[in-house]
Amino acid sequence: MQIYVSLEGVDESKIESEFKANSFDVKFHDIQGKNYRCAIVKLHKEIVPEKCKVLVKPKRVIITLAKASKANWLDLHFKEDKLKPTMNKEKDPMAGIMDLMKNMYEDGDEEMKKTIA
C-alpha cells in the first residue's frame, strides 16, 4: 500500500520515520523553513515495519506500507464496528440490541433520530 505526500524540496536526510505493527509516523524537517508530519496512530490492520519505507521524489514523497496480510483495506484508519452488538454473558441479551440502537441514534442523521425516537 502506498501513500503519496505532495511535498517539494524534501531532503532525504531530514526525514524521521517510525513504523510499528499498527501505526506509522513520518516527519519531514526543514522544508522551506517548515516541518510537516504524516502519521496514523492506529491503522486499519497490521503492517510489517521492517518492510515499510519512505521514497523521496522531486515533487512528492511515497510512503510504502507492507501489509501483514493480503486482505483489502477499506480505510487506512482503524474503525470499530459500532453496528456489531457486544455480547457479554453477564449482560441481559436485550442490552446488546439497546447498545446497537444507541449507536445508530448517536451516529444517525435527523431522519434516523426521528425514526428511532
Side-chain angles (χ1 to χ4, degrees):
M1 170 175 291
Q2 294 182 329
I3 300 166
Y4 296 92
V5 181
S6 297
L7 275 177
E8 290 185 45
V10 177
D11 183 351
E12 199 166 345
S13 67
K14 294 183 180 180
I15 295 176
E16 183 183 338
S17 60
E18 180 180 17
F19 297 98
K20 294 183 179 178
N22 289 308
S23 66
F24 75 90
D25 189 358
V26 180
K27 297 173 187 172
F28 308 96
H29 298 287
D30 194 27
I31 299 169
Q32 299 172 4
K34 293 184 180 181
N35 296 326
Y36 296 91
R37 183 178 199 179
C38 181
I40 296 182
V41 180
K42 192 166 186 183
L43 288 165
H44 181 68
K45 296 196 180 207
E46 285 192 15
I47 59 174
V48 182
E50 310 81 52
K51 293 184 179 180
C52 297
K53 60 184 176 182
V54 178
L55 180 65
V56 177
K57 296 285 186 177
K59 294 191 179 211
R60 67 180 175 196
V61 176
I62 303 169
I63 301 170
T64 303
L65 303 177
K67 296 189 283 186
S69 66
K70 298 289 180 192
N72 288 334
W73 290 21
L74 300 177
D75 200 338
L76 275 174
H77 297 273
F78 174 80
K79 291 186 179 172
E80 285 188 47
D81 190 2
K82 288 186 176 183
L83 297 178
K84 192 176 187 180
T86 56
M87 292 301 199
N88 189 343
K89 291 179 183 176
E90 298 163 7
K91 264 184 146 179
D92 177 22
M94 287 301 291
I97 294 170
M98 292 306 291
D99 287 344
L100 175 67
M101 294 297 285
K102 181 181 172 190
N103 286 337
M104 286 174 58
Y105 185 82
E106 288 173 353
D107 295 339
D109 59 3
E110 289 304 312
E111 191 66 33
M112 178 63 74
K113 289 179 181 180
K114 286 179 188 175
T115 304
I116 293 172

